[in-house]
Amino acid sequence: MAPPRFDRHPWVPDSGRKKMWKLPKQYSHFAFGAIQAAVTCAVASAIASMQFVAEGTFISHWLRAYFFSWIAMLPVVVIVAPFIRWLANRITN
């Protein structure tokens, strides 16, 4: 009997596609920072762009604000994340 496969769901047929490329574990904090910055900037720029809904230009303003805020926040998040993790560990059990 063949060992079970854990790389895909049993009810999804194998399409023959290659597996998704992954970053090594040592870079997980960079991936975390990029994803966290992306989500935070998406929400914040959407809230800041709400005034453009009535004009019908929300999407263009939101995308521009999202792009510039993500570019600005990514280095901040990646640099500050280790300190935040250290601080969170210090103030919790």
Side-chain angles (χ1 to χ4, degrees):
M1 181 173 179
R5 291 182 54 167
F6 297 105
D7 61 340
R8 64 181 174 90
H9 294 290
W11 59 85
V12 177
D14 188 8
S15 63
R17 293 185 295 177
K18 294 181 180 179
K19 287 186 178 183
M20 185 175 84
W21 178 79
K22 293 185 177 184
L23 291 172
K25 289 283 185 200
Q26 65 191 22
Y27 300 115
S28 66
H29 61 285
F30 291 120
F32 176 86
I35 294 166
Q36 190 270 333
V39 171
T40 303
C41 290
V43 172
S45 61
I47 292 168
S49 299
M50 281 299 188
Q51 62 191 0
F52 298 106
V53 170
E55 296 176 17
T57 58
F58 170 77
I59 296 294
S60 64
H61 281 93
W62 174 68
L63 287 173
R64 187 175 34 235
Y66 171 70
F67 174 73
F68 287 118
S69 63
W70 187 73
I71 292 297
M73 285 307 297
L74 183 61
V76 173
V77 169
V78 170
I79 291 169
V80 175
F83 173 73
I84 294 171
R85 184 170 294 152
W86 173 84
L87 183 61
N89 288 334
R90 293 281 300 196
I91 65 174
T92 58
N93 288 330

